[in-house]
Each structure stands twice: as structure tokens, then as C-alpha cells.
Short mmCIF file of all heavy atoms in Angstrom, two decimals:
data_model
loop_
_atom_site.label_atom_id
_atom_site.label_comp_id
_atom_site.label_asym_id
_atom_site.label_seq_id
_atom_site.Cartn_x
_atom_site.Cartn_y
_atom_site.Cartn_z
N PHE A 8 6.24 -67.72 37.69
CA PHE A 8 5.84 -66.33 37.89
C PHE A 8 6.48 -65.39 36.88
O PHE A 8 5.89 -64.38 36.49
CB PHE A 8 6.14 -65.92 39.33
CG PHE A 8 5.39 -66.74 40.33
CD1 PHE A 8 6.03 -67.73 41.06
CD2 PHE A 8 4.02 -66.58 40.49
CE1 PHE A 8 5.32 -68.53 41.96
CE2 PHE A 8 3.31 -67.36 41.39
CZ PHE A 8 3.96 -68.34 42.12
N GLY A 9 7.66 -65.77 36.41
CA GLY A 9 8.26 -64.99 35.33
C GLY A 9 7.45 -65.10 34.06
O GLY A 9 7.27 -64.13 33.31
N LEU A 10 6.92 -66.32 33.80
CA LEU A 10 6.09 -66.52 32.62
C LEU A 10 4.80 -65.73 32.73
O LEU A 10 4.36 -65.09 31.76
CB LEU A 10 5.78 -68.01 32.45
CG LEU A 10 4.94 -68.39 31.23
CD1 LEU A 10 5.62 -67.99 29.93
CD2 LEU A 10 4.63 -69.90 31.24
N ILE A 11 4.19 -65.73 33.92
CA ILE A 11 2.97 -64.95 34.12
C ILE A 11 3.22 -63.47 33.88
O ILE A 11 2.44 -62.79 33.21
CB ILE A 11 2.41 -65.18 35.54
CG1 ILE A 11 1.86 -66.61 35.66
CG2 ILE A 11 1.32 -64.16 35.87
CD1 ILE A 11 1.45 -66.99 37.08
N ARG A 12 4.33 -62.96 34.39
CA ARG A 12 4.65 -61.53 34.18
C ARG A 12 4.84 -61.23 32.69
O ARG A 12 4.40 -60.20 32.19
CB ARG A 12 5.89 -61.14 34.98
CG ARG A 12 5.65 -61.03 36.47
CD ARG A 12 6.83 -60.37 37.18
NE ARG A 12 8.04 -61.20 37.09
CZ ARG A 12 8.37 -62.13 37.98
NH1 ARG A 12 7.58 -62.37 39.02
NH2 ARG A 12 9.49 -62.83 37.86
N ALA A 13 5.53 -62.13 31.99
CA ALA A 13 5.77 -61.92 30.56
C ALA A 13 4.47 -61.91 29.77
O ALA A 13 4.29 -61.13 28.84
CB ALA A 13 6.73 -62.98 30.03
N ILE A 14 3.55 -62.80 30.14
CA ILE A 14 2.27 -62.88 29.43
C ILE A 14 1.42 -61.66 29.73
O ILE A 14 0.90 -60.99 28.82
CB ILE A 14 1.52 -64.17 29.81
CG1 ILE A 14 2.25 -65.40 29.29
CG2 ILE A 14 0.09 -64.14 29.27
CD1 ILE A 14 1.68 -66.72 29.80
N THR A 15 1.24 -61.35 31.00
CA THR A 15 0.31 -60.27 31.37
C THR A 15 0.81 -58.90 30.91
O THR A 15 0.01 -57.98 30.74
CB THR A 15 0.06 -60.25 32.88
OG1 THR A 15 1.31 -60.15 33.58
CG2 THR A 15 -0.66 -61.52 33.31
N ALA A 16 2.11 -58.78 30.67
CA ALA A 16 2.63 -57.51 30.15
C ALA A 16 2.09 -57.21 28.75
O ALA A 16 2.13 -56.06 28.31
CB ALA A 16 4.15 -57.55 30.13
N ARG A 17 1.57 -58.24 28.05
CA ARG A 17 1.03 -58.03 26.70
C ARG A 17 -0.41 -57.56 26.72
O ARG A 17 -0.97 -57.22 25.68
CB ARG A 17 1.08 -59.34 25.89
CG ARG A 17 2.30 -60.21 26.10
CD ARG A 17 3.53 -59.63 25.49
NE ARG A 17 3.66 -59.91 24.07
CZ ARG A 17 4.85 -59.88 23.44
NH1 ARG A 17 5.96 -59.59 24.11
NH2 ARG A 17 4.92 -60.11 22.14
N PHE A 18 -1.06 -57.58 27.90
CA PHE A 18 -2.49 -57.31 27.97
C PHE A 18 -2.78 -55.92 28.49
O PHE A 18 -2.42 -55.59 29.62
CB PHE A 18 -3.18 -58.34 28.88
CG PHE A 18 -3.00 -59.77 28.46
CD1 PHE A 18 -3.01 -60.78 29.41
CD2 PHE A 18 -2.84 -60.11 27.13
CE1 PHE A 18 -2.87 -62.11 29.03
CE2 PHE A 18 -2.68 -61.43 26.73
CZ PHE A 18 -2.69 -62.44 27.69
N PRO A 19 -3.46 -55.09 27.70
CA PRO A 19 -3.86 -53.77 28.20
C PRO A 19 -5.06 -53.90 29.13
O PRO A 19 -5.76 -54.91 29.13
CB PRO A 19 -4.26 -53.03 26.91
CG PRO A 19 -4.74 -54.11 26.00
CD PRO A 19 -3.89 -55.31 26.31
N GLY A 20 -5.29 -52.88 29.93
CA GLY A 20 -6.47 -52.85 30.77
C GLY A 20 -7.67 -52.35 29.99
O GLY A 20 -7.66 -52.25 28.77
N GLY A 21 -8.72 -52.02 30.70
CA GLY A 21 -9.92 -51.49 30.07
C GLY A 21 -10.85 -50.93 31.12
O GLY A 21 -10.69 -51.18 32.32
N ASP A 22 -11.85 -50.18 30.67
CA ASP A 22 -12.75 -49.52 31.62
C ASP A 22 -13.49 -50.51 32.51
O ASP A 22 -13.77 -50.22 33.66
CB ASP A 22 -13.78 -48.67 30.85
CG ASP A 22 -13.14 -47.49 30.14
OD1 ASP A 22 -12.03 -47.11 30.54
OD2 ASP A 22 -13.75 -46.97 29.19
N GLY A 23 -13.80 -51.68 31.99
CA GLY A 23 -14.55 -52.64 32.77
C GLY A 23 -13.71 -53.49 33.69
O GLY A 23 -14.24 -54.25 34.50
N LEU A 24 -12.39 -53.39 33.58
CA LEU A 24 -11.48 -54.18 34.41
C LEU A 24 -11.10 -53.37 35.63
O LEU A 24 -10.26 -52.46 35.56
CB LEU A 24 -10.24 -54.58 33.61
CG LEU A 24 -9.24 -55.50 34.31
CD1 LEU A 24 -9.89 -56.83 34.68
CD2 LEU A 24 -8.01 -55.74 33.43
N LEU A 25 -11.72 -53.67 36.77
CA LEU A 25 -11.50 -52.89 37.99
C LEU A 25 -10.23 -53.35 38.72
O LEU A 25 -9.52 -52.53 39.30
CB LEU A 25 -12.72 -53.01 38.90
CG LEU A 25 -14.06 -52.64 38.23
CD1 LEU A 25 -15.20 -52.80 39.22
CD2 LEU A 25 -14.01 -51.23 37.67
N ILE A 26 -9.98 -54.64 38.74
CA ILE A 26 -8.74 -55.19 39.28
C ILE A 26 -8.26 -56.26 38.31
O ILE A 26 -8.98 -57.22 38.02
CB ILE A 26 -8.93 -55.82 40.67
CG1 ILE A 26 -9.42 -54.78 41.68
CG2 ILE A 26 -7.63 -56.46 41.15
CD1 ILE A 26 -9.73 -55.35 43.05
N GLY A 27 -7.06 -56.10 37.79
CA GLY A 27 -6.52 -57.02 36.81
C GLY A 27 -5.58 -58.03 37.43
O GLY A 27 -5.62 -58.27 38.65
N PRO A 28 -4.72 -58.65 36.64
CA PRO A 28 -3.80 -59.66 37.13
C PRO A 28 -2.93 -59.13 38.26
O PRO A 28 -2.51 -57.97 38.26
CB PRO A 28 -2.95 -60.00 35.90
CG PRO A 28 -3.83 -59.66 34.74
CD PRO A 28 -4.59 -58.44 35.17
N GLY A 29 -2.66 -60.00 39.25
CA GLY A 29 -1.77 -59.63 40.34
C GLY A 29 -2.35 -59.94 41.71
O GLY A 29 -1.62 -60.06 42.69
N ASP A 30 -3.67 -60.03 41.81
CA ASP A 30 -4.31 -60.42 43.06
C ASP A 30 -4.81 -61.86 42.97
O ASP A 30 -4.65 -62.53 41.95
CB ASP A 30 -5.46 -59.46 43.38
CG ASP A 30 -4.96 -58.15 43.97
OD1 ASP A 30 -4.63 -57.24 43.19
OD2 ASP A 30 -4.90 -58.05 45.21
N ASP A 31 -5.46 -62.33 44.03
CA ASP A 31 -5.97 -63.70 44.02
C ASP A 31 -7.04 -63.90 42.96
O ASP A 31 -7.26 -65.01 42.48
CB ASP A 31 -6.54 -64.06 45.39
CG ASP A 31 -5.44 -64.34 46.40
OD1 ASP A 31 -4.27 -64.38 45.99
OD2 ASP A 31 -5.75 -64.52 47.59
N ALA A 32 -7.75 -62.84 42.62
CA ALA A 32 -8.80 -62.91 41.60
C ALA A 32 -8.93 -61.53 40.97
O ALA A 32 -8.53 -60.52 41.54
CB ALA A 32 -10.13 -63.35 42.20
N ALA A 33 -9.49 -61.51 39.79
CA ALA A 33 -9.74 -60.25 39.10
C ALA A 33 -11.12 -59.72 39.48
O ALA A 33 -11.95 -60.44 40.04
CB ALA A 33 -9.65 -60.46 37.59
N LEU A 34 -11.36 -58.46 39.15
CA LEU A 34 -12.66 -57.84 39.40
C LEU A 34 -13.08 -57.09 38.15
O LEU A 34 -12.37 -56.20 37.68
CB LEU A 34 -12.58 -56.87 40.60
CG LEU A 34 -13.88 -56.18 41.00
CD1 LEU A 34 -14.91 -57.19 41.49
CD2 LEU A 34 -13.62 -55.13 42.07
N LEU A 35 -14.22 -57.49 37.60
CA LEU A 35 -14.75 -56.84 36.41
C LEU A 35 -16.11 -56.23 36.72
O LEU A 35 -16.88 -56.78 37.52
CB LEU A 35 -14.92 -57.84 35.25
CG LEU A 35 -13.65 -58.31 34.55
CD1 LEU A 35 -13.08 -59.52 35.26
CD2 LEU A 35 -13.92 -58.65 33.10
N ALA A 36 -16.42 -55.13 36.09
CA ALA A 36 -17.73 -54.52 36.24
C ALA A 36 -18.78 -55.41 35.57
O ALA A 36 -18.50 -56.06 34.56
CB ALA A 36 -17.74 -53.13 35.60
N ALA A 37 -19.97 -55.43 36.14
CA ALA A 37 -21.09 -56.18 35.58
C ALA A 37 -22.31 -55.27 35.59
O ALA A 37 -23.19 -55.40 36.44
CB ALA A 37 -21.35 -57.45 36.37
N PRO A 38 -22.37 -54.32 34.65
CA PRO A 38 -23.43 -53.30 34.67
C PRO A 38 -24.84 -53.89 34.68
O PRO A 38 -25.74 -53.33 35.29
CB PRO A 38 -23.18 -52.50 33.39
CG PRO A 38 -21.74 -52.72 33.07
CD PRO A 38 -21.44 -54.11 33.53
N ASP A 39 -25.04 -55.01 34.01
CA ASP A 39 -26.36 -55.61 33.91
C ASP A 39 -26.80 -56.29 35.21
O ASP A 39 -27.98 -56.49 35.44
CB ASP A 39 -26.36 -56.63 32.77
CG ASP A 39 -27.70 -57.32 32.59
OD1 ASP A 39 -28.58 -56.74 31.93
OD2 ASP A 39 -27.86 -58.44 33.11
N GLY A 40 -25.82 -56.65 36.04
CA GLY A 40 -26.13 -57.41 37.24
C GLY A 40 -26.18 -58.90 37.02
O GLY A 40 -26.33 -59.68 37.96
N ARG A 41 -26.09 -59.33 35.77
CA ARG A 41 -26.00 -60.74 35.40
C ARG A 41 -24.74 -60.92 34.56
O ARG A 41 -24.34 -60.00 33.85
CB ARG A 41 -27.22 -61.18 34.59
CG ARG A 41 -28.56 -61.05 35.31
CD ARG A 41 -29.71 -61.23 34.34
NE ARG A 41 -29.75 -60.17 33.34
CZ ARG A 41 -30.58 -60.17 32.29
NH1 ARG A 41 -31.41 -61.18 32.10
NH2 ARG A 41 -30.57 -59.17 31.44
N VAL A 42 -24.13 -62.08 34.63
CA VAL A 42 -22.90 -62.36 33.88
C VAL A 42 -23.11 -63.59 33.01
O VAL A 42 -23.48 -64.65 33.52
CB VAL A 42 -21.69 -62.57 34.81
CG1 VAL A 42 -20.46 -62.94 34.00
CG2 VAL A 42 -21.43 -61.32 35.64
N VAL A 43 -22.88 -63.46 31.72
CA VAL A 43 -22.85 -64.61 30.82
C VAL A 43 -21.45 -65.21 30.90
O VAL A 43 -20.45 -64.48 30.84
CB VAL A 43 -23.16 -64.17 29.37
CG1 VAL A 43 -22.94 -65.33 28.40
CG2 VAL A 43 -24.60 -63.66 29.28
N ALA A 44 -21.36 -66.52 31.06
CA ALA A 44 -20.05 -67.18 31.20
C ALA A 44 -20.01 -68.43 30.34
O ALA A 44 -20.99 -69.17 30.23
CB ALA A 44 -19.80 -67.55 32.65
N THR A 45 -18.87 -68.66 29.72
CA THR A 45 -18.65 -69.85 28.90
C THR A 45 -17.19 -70.25 29.00
O THR A 45 -16.33 -69.42 29.29
CB THR A 45 -19.05 -69.60 27.43
OG1 THR A 45 -18.93 -70.82 26.69
CG2 THR A 45 -18.18 -68.54 26.79
N THR A 46 -16.90 -71.52 28.77
CA THR A 46 -15.52 -71.97 28.84
C THR A 46 -15.25 -73.03 27.79
O THR A 46 -16.17 -73.74 27.36
CB THR A 46 -15.21 -72.52 30.25
OG1 THR A 46 -13.81 -72.73 30.40
CG2 THR A 46 -15.93 -73.83 30.51
#
């Protein structure tokens, strides 16, 4: 958890990021209603 805190401290938020790191999952806006995903 210390490593997670150190990493996430480097990441700024943004308008589309409604809930960022810290909860069970993040929440991002999806204006189109569809999400393109790749891994």
C-alpha cells in the first residue's frame, strides 16, 4: 500500500476521472455511451 500511494501520487486527475485511485474501482465519464477497451 505504500508503493501504491507512492505511484498514484505521480498521477494528476482530469475532467473525465470522476473517482480516481482509492476506492474498489475507478469511475470515468463515458460521454459516447460506448467504451473502447484494449489491454
Side-chain angles (χ1 to χ4, degrees):
F8 299 105
L10 181 60
I11 290 172
R12 286 191 295 270
I14 292 172
T15 55
R17 322 288 277 203
F18 301 151
D22 293 340
L24 184 61
L25 306 180
I26 299 176
D30 281 86
D31 284 353
L34 182 64
L35 287 88
D39 180 83
R41 299 168 295 172
V42 176
V43 172
T45 184
T46 191

